[in-house]
Amino acid sequence: MLTITLTHYLVLAATIFAAGVLTIMLKRNAIGILMGVELVLNAANINLVAFNYFQHPGTPAQPLLTGQIFAIFIIVIAAAEAAVALAIFLNFYNNFATVDVERATEMRG
């Protein structure tokens, strides 16, 4: 029977983190870059919850939820970041009719 260990979670988080970084580096579309940032933040969430579960689980009567609380905090921050970024992208699209980040150089004063 396969037992899921901390290593499995770390490999999953590293894979998602690498996919997020590659998305950020390779995409010229602003929405794609935002999706890459979300992948990186989700990789951090997986690490926080996995380390909490395997390193400081607490007792069955009183489980320690520190990792989960940090993960929820990151989810809230990511939602706020996505809202601000989408507002910026909508304003950029209204001015330039594209979300290509290469054209952002035209915004310089």
Side-chain angles (χ1 to χ4, degrees), residues 56-98:
H56 303 288
T59 63
Q62 286 185 320
L64 292 177
L65 300 175
T66 309
Q68 284 86 345
I69 291 171
F70 276 116
I72 290 171
F73 181 73
I74 288 177
I75 290 170
V76 170
I77 296 295
E81 171 257 335
V84 170
L86 286 175
I88 292 170
F89 297 154
L90 283 174
N91 190 15
F92 185 79
Y93 183 78
N94 284 337
N95 290 330
F96 296 102
T98 182

Side-chain angles (χ1 to χ4, degrees), residues 47-63:
N47 280 338
L48 286 170
V49 173
F51 275 116
N52 183 69
Y53 181 78
F54 286 101
Q55 300 297 323
H56 303 288
T59 63
Q62 286 185 320

